[in-house]
Amino acid sequence: MADVVLGIETSCDETSAAVLVGDRRRPELAGLVILSQDVHKVFGGVVPELASRAHLGALPAVVERALAEAGVAWSAVDAVAVTQGPGLVGALLVGVVYAKALAYAGDRKLIGVHHMEGHLFAPALEDPDLAPPFVALLVSGGHTLLLDVPAWGRYRLLGATRDDAAGEAFDKVASLLELGYPGGPAIERLAAQGDPERFAFPRPMRDDGYEFSFSGLKTAVLRAVRASDDIARDRPHVARSFQDAVLDVLVTKLERAVRATGYRTAVLGGGVACNRTLVELAARRLAGNARVAVASPRLNTDNAAMIARAGWHRLALGERSDWTLDARADLPLPGLEPADNPQSAIHKQSR
Ligand code: KG4
Ligand code: ZN
């Protein structure tokens, strides 16, 4: 009988469940439901208490829908994979407790998954031949990680952010420009109409190493917004120059990592990898050296399919979580090997 894995993701503001079905090496995505919590739009950011309550209310129905979409009965599910961390601890707890209860009551296998390992596995859902070695740039609302991945499950941290994550910078600049939350998609849309020459923003740490820093860039945008005598006119130009600066820094470091490792593949993942301009820029700048592997936007934003896929990999290796599995806001990435650069560290484990 084919393996069936149910995935559950509740680390932030999407309530998601997915069903993977298939043989050991090439699981197929049979069902995926992503319910975005609109309530946070009113507050301009995620309110943790409201996120937990919304997960609690929606999760049973979201799981049912994913199973129905897949045409799979609960009795056919072999294992439950759930995001253990990092993320908002109350939000994570809802998914972890629900997954544990399901697995315990049904005597099924359970596996806790690291949210960023989920993002790393997302492209493999659509590209089953994707295999290490590769470099990976994972860019979300809480993390900016540049990894050397010699094998699935083995991660060497090349660089991380010293302050804001890339997605966080998009969200904060969007808020300065009064574009609402989440900011990434709004900035990308507006930037398409902007003139890249009207504003010049710094490209922090572009020319050295693998680490990132985005808070100075955010401050530069704040100054430009305050100095503008017509923000309605300048908004698209600010969005354009801000996005150009962030993407240039991200892709420059990705390019550096590809050169240093000699790998022929670069993986992009996380919510910021929904940005088409980022994907196109990376593909253009790496052409001839490496191909860019990236999932479609639905699988780059937070979703349970990527969690099920990463869980699938660990289950196939014989790994299991026991009933003591607990949500952890600051869960370290499993398989992280000591970096050569002692200054490298994951500074942003949670928002
Ligand atoms: O991975 P994700 O869905 O959630 C976290 O794990 O944080 O990433 C969300 C982040 C947000 O900061 C959002 O603004 C950003 O991804 N994002 C984008 C785009 N779409 C989402 N950033 C830039 N351009 C986009 N098109
Ligand atoms: Zn995420």
Side-chain angles (χ1 to χ4, degrees):
M1 198 190 85
D3 285 327
V4 179
V5 173
L6 170 69
I8 292 177
E9 151 69 38
T10 64
S11 69
C12 193
D13 58 346
E14 331 279 343
T15 313
S16 181
V19 179
L20 282 192
V21 178
D23 66 42
R24 284 184 88 75
R25 292 209 46 240
R26 290 177 175 250
E28 293 244 332
L29 180 57
L32 171 61
V33 177
I34 307 171
L35 191 68
S36 296
Q37 301 176 355
D38 282 342
V39 59
H40 308 289
K41 292 199 170 128
V42 184
F43 300 96
V46 179
V47 183
E49 175 67 17
L50 294 180
S52 314
R53 283 171 189 269
H55 287 309
L56 203 53
L59 189 55
V62 166
V63 167
E64 293 255 321
R65 269 281 287 281
L67 287 168
E69 202 178 275
V72 164
W74 160 244
S75 58
V77 172
D78 299 303
V80 183
V82 61
T83 309
Q84 183 191 358
L88 303 169
V89 76
L92 289 163
L93 255 178
V94 175
V96 167
V97 169
Y98 194 77
K100 271 164 74 168
L102 273 180
Y104 185 75
D107 195 22
R108 306 301 146 97
K109 289 169 249 176
L110 174 71
I111 187 84
V113 172
H114 190 284
H115 182 80
M116 298 313 287
E117 190 171 47
H119 278 304
L120 183 72
F121 269 89
L125 286 161
E126 294 167 316
D127 182 356
D129 293 322
L130 176 67
F134 53 69
V135 290
L137 177 65
L138 303 181
V139 272
S140 69
H143 295 79
T144 306
L145 299 175
L146 187 58
L147 300 171
D148 168 353
V149 182
W152 289 122
R154 281 182 56 203
Y155 310 120
R156 211 162 61 85
L157 182 66
L158 297 173
T161 183
R162 292 185 171 183
D163 39 60
D164 294 350
E168 193 178 358
F170 270 92
D171 294 336
K172 286 180 175 169
V173 165
S175 153
L176 291 176
L177 295 175
E178 296 174 347
L179 299 174
Y181 175 86
I187 296 228
E188 185 177 16
R189 262 194 311 275
L190 204 58
Q193 307 152 27
D195 176 351
E197 308 297 335
R198 295 286 287 274
F199 290 89
F201 293 132
R203 300 184 175 205
M205 303 180 73
R206 179 187 184 276
D207 298 320
D208 52 12
Y210 293 122
E211 300 222 308
F212 302 90
S213 167
F214 294 112
S215 75
L217 174 57
K218 177 191 66 194
T219 308
V221 172
L222 174 65
R223 278 204 206 97
V225 169
R226 286 200 178 137
S228 168
D229 58 0
D230 185 351
I231 193 61
R233 177 201 64 210
D234 286 341
R235 212 178 253 125
H237 312 314
V238 171
R240 173 62 187 265
S241 293
F242 162 75
Q243 178 173 275
D244 282 357
V246 174
L247 302 192
D248 182 35
V249 171
L250 292 175
V251 174
T252 299
K253 288 177 193 250
L254 182 63
E255 225 180 334
R256 190 170 294 142
V258 164
R259 286 232 176 79
T261 57
Y263 295 161
R264 308 286 297 166
T265 306
V267 165
L268 291 177
V272 180
C274 293
N275 188 298
R276 290 312 305 169
T277 321
L278 167 62
V279 175
E280 282 159 21
L281 184 69
R284 207 164 53 240
R285 298 243 304 249
L286 294 177
N289 292 318
R291 78 169 178 111
V292 174
V294 60
S296 49
R298 182 165 150 85
L299 298 175
N300 272 328
T301 38
D302 289 350
N303 71 86
M306 67 185 198
I307 301 304
R309 184 62 188 80
W312 185 287
H313 173 79
R314 292 196 167 268
L315 288 161
L317 294 175
E319 292 183 29
R320 307 281 182 269
S321 298
D322 63 25
W323 307 122
T324 64
L325 182 74
D326 201 5
R328 275 193 62 183
D330 61 349
L331 186 71
L333 187 66
L336 201 59
E337 295 173 4
D340 297 340
N341 173 1
Q343 286 183 331
S344 293
I346 300 181
H347 291 285
K348 302 292 292 185
Q349 284 288 3
S350 58
R351 289 180 198 232

